[in-house]
């Protein structure tokens, strides 16, 4: 079918919309700014954010422009089950974080980054390994959001792609630089409320404007047998299964998620993550159905680029006022994640690089930390803008980074529960897993004969490990072992000779299995008997004022211990 006539905006309208959105968020950020800003507040807002803002911020951070575009692309490629696989598994990964999150906060109640906790648990190499992976992931995420903003603005207005990227980058940096993480979470609340309202109005409007439900009857012939099958194996193997593995890794290794975990009040972790699960699933699946509608309509995105599906569907079927609302929705989605990436990068450089490895915890100057954090945001924005100009393939990069983080999942989680895990085991497990992952992912080794059998064996073990880890958080070690073992045994007869055809999935699972096997076998005979209580002492506040407040609340009965801890910090 020929795409209907599209509409756009003049340069003046786009400028007004951008000023309205980013000007409003900047004004909000100035209201919460503090004249005498402190480093801990800049990174985690005092570890006491309430339920509403925390849940909205988690939802907004997990939803970004690329996730909306990818969900629609999945619907366009795989049919009705595509957005389900994309949105459902992503939502469940948020849910699976909270039991692990409760444990992490218990052992490190005042930490700022997961890498900082790894420094307290193992040492410098493990810390920098986790911090480095997050720097790479957050820069790629920041870049992808700038790309999405640049493409959107160039499609809807006379401005070109680079001008659009600069507008979005400047707007996000403007309000995030002022108050750091506090600005990110508060504006996230505003942005997610706007996104929810926009989705509730825009998606049904496009459906009915495009001729729903008749379009699903007349356009059924545009679908293949797999696309019309709700239980499509194509959709599961190419979209669902790789996404389960990648998103679990994102959930455990991503600093933007960990930062919110450390910021929310400890007693509100469970309701926060459950609410975010529902909000994310509903919004992303709903937007993804636009891709399914485009498939039924025979809609052809410009240049065959499926990232154009949502913007072009909006331009084709929405009147001016709703198109403006759509523009705000997408800008809000990408900005909510971009500001989270800036806050995450600043925290890593403040706590992990300067606070732990340059100055040292005892000598770190909070004012210098703030300067480091703000300079990090500026440098990261410049780097991301430069990378965005290359217009790299966003989804391939994201899946790649997610799979890389798969090598970290077991060593990180085991380090919070098992006293025997050593720094050597952690580091070796991650490095060897990456060495195996990369040639498998990029097909640098032949997937035939004995090599293919070994790779498939490791991937099948990876299936059991992923499902076992998910079970462990909720039901404990015994259930996790049973689930993992049963999943491996059930999958084996079906996966041998089969998984080798699905490189992305196989590589992700291999990263899990190799890191798990090496970490376990290097640790189970070790004499390490780590005392988890020392993590709270080693990973805590940097600002002396905050330490005094914390000490004062512990009561006279513990004053001596508090003072000793304060002097150590």
């Amino acid at each position: 079918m020929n795409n209907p006539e599209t509409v756009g905006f003049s340069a003046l309208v786009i400028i007004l919309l951008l000023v309205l959105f980013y000007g409003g968020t900047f004004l909000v950020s100035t209201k919460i700014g503090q004249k005498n800003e402190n480093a801990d507040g800049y990174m985690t807002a005092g570890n006491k954010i309430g339920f509403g803002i925390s849940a909205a911020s988690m939802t907004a951070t997990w939803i970004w422009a690329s996730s909306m575009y990818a969900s629609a692309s999945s619907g366009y490629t795989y049919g009705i089950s595509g957005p389900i696989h994309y949105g459902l598994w992503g939502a469940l990964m948020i849910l699976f974080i909270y039991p692990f999150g409760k444990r992490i906060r218990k052992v490190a109640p005042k930490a700022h980054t997961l890498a900082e906790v790894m420094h307290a648990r193992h040492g410098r190499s493990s810390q920098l390994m986790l911090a480095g992976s997050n720097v790479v992931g957050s820069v790629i995420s920041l870049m992808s959001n700038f790309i999405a903003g640049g493409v959107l603005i160039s499609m809807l207005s006379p401005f070109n792609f680079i001008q659009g990227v600069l507008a979005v980058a400047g707007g996000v940096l403007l309000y995030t630089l002022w108050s750091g993480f506090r600005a990110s979470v508060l504006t996230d609340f505003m942005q997610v409320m706007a996104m929810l309202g926009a989705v509730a109005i825009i998606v049904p409007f496009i459906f009915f404007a495009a001729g729903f439900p008749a379009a699903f009857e007349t356009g059924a012939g545009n679908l293949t047998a797999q696309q019309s099958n709700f239980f499509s194996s194509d959709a599961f193997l190419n979209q669902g299964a790789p996404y389960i593995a990648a998103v679990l890794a994102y959930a455990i290794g991503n600093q933007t998620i960990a930062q919110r975990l450390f910021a929310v009040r400890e007693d509100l972790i469970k309701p926060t993550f459950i609410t975010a699960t529902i909000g994310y699933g509903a919004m992303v699946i709903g937007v993804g159905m636009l891709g399914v509608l485009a498939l039924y309509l025979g809609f052809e995105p410009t240049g065959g680029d499926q990232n154009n599906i949502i913007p072009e569907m909006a331009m084709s079927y929405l009147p001016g006022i709703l198109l403006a609302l759509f523009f705000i929705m997408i800008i809000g989605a990408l900005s909510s994640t971009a500001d989270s990436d800036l806050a995450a990068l600043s925290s890593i450089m403040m706590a992990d690089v300067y606070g732990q490895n340059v100055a040292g915890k005892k000598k770190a100057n909070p004012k210098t930390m703030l300067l480091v954090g703000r300079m990090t945001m500026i440098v990261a924005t410049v780097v991301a803008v430069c990378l965005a100009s290359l217009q790299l393939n966003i989804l391939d990069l994201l899946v790649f980074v997610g799979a890389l983080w798969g090598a970290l999942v077991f060593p990180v989680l085991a380090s919070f529960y098992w006293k025997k895990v050593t720094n050597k085991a952690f580091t070796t497990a991650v490095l060897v897993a990456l060495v195996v992952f990369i040639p498998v992912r990029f097909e640098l080794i032949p997937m035939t004969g004995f090599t293919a059998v070994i790779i498939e064996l490791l991937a099948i073990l990876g299936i059991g490990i992923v499902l076992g880890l998910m079970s462990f958080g909720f039901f404990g070690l015994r259930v996790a072992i049973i689930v993992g073992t049963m999943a491996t045994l059930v999958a084996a007869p079906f996966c041998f000779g089969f998984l080798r055809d699905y490189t992305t999935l196989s590589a992700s699972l291999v990263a899990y299995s190799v890191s798990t096997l090496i970490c376990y076998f290097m640790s189970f005979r070790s004499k390490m008997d780590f005392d988890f209580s020392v993590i709270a002492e080693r990973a805590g506040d940097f600002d002396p004022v905050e330490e005094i407040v914390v000490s004062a609340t512990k009561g006279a009965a513990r004053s001596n211990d508090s003072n000793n801890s304060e002097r150590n910090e």
Side-chain angles (χ1 to χ4, degrees), residues 61-74:
T61 299
W62 208 247
I63 296 172
W64 47 331
S66 293
S67 65
M68 291 185 175
Y69 289 0
S71 183
S73 177
S74 184

Side-chain angles (χ1 to χ4, degrees), residues 165-304:
V165 168
L166 290 173
V168 171
V172 173
L173 181 62
L174 176 69
Y175 71 84
T176 311
L177 190 67
W178 189 267
S179 299
F181 180 74
R182 280 198 305 274
S184 175
V185 293
L186 187 57
T187 54
D188 280 349
F189 180 82
M190 299 164 50
Q191 290 159 359
V192 82
M193 292 299 104
M195 284 190 285
L196 285 170
V199 169
I201 296 170
I202 289 170
V203 173
F205 189 96
I206 292 178
F207 262 73
F208 286 107
F212 175 84
F216 280 79
E217 299 173 3
T218 59
N222 293 325
L223 277 66
T224 65
Q226 282 287 326
Q227 289 173 331
S228 60
N229 181 6
F230 184 80
F231 300 100
S232 167
S233 59
D234 239 5
F236 178 74
L237 292 170
N238 288 295
Q239 174 68 67
Y243 199 57
I244 294 171
V247 176
L248 178 60
Y250 263 101
I252 300 302
N254 194 329
Q255 170 59 17
T256 62
I257 304 300
Q259 198 164 14
R260 280 148 184 79
L261 171 64
F262 290 127
V264 66
R265 268 175 41 195
E266 195 169 348
D267 60 315
L268 296 176
I269 291 175
K270 181 177 179 178
T272 293
F273 280 83
I274 291 176
T275 304
T277 298
I278 298 170
Y280 173 90
M283 192 178 302
V284 171
I285 292 173
V287 173
M289 287 301 169
L290 292 178
V292 178
L293 177 62
L295 176 64
Y296 274 90
L297 292 172
F299 194 94
E300 297 177 4
T302 301

Side-chain angles (χ1 to χ4, degrees), residues 367-408:
K367 292 184 178 180
T368 303
M369 292 182 74
L370 284 169
L371 177 62
V372 168
R374 290 183 169 126
M375 290 301 299
T376 298
M377 288 189 182
I378 295 172
V379 172
T381 301
V382 172
V383 171
V385 167
C386 293
L387 292 175
S389 66
L390 302 176
Q391 290 188 266
L392 302 173
N393 189 301
I394 297 173
L395 295 179
D396 283 351
L397 287 172
L398 295 179
V399 171
F400 175 70
V401 172
L404 280 177
W405 275 335
L408 288 158

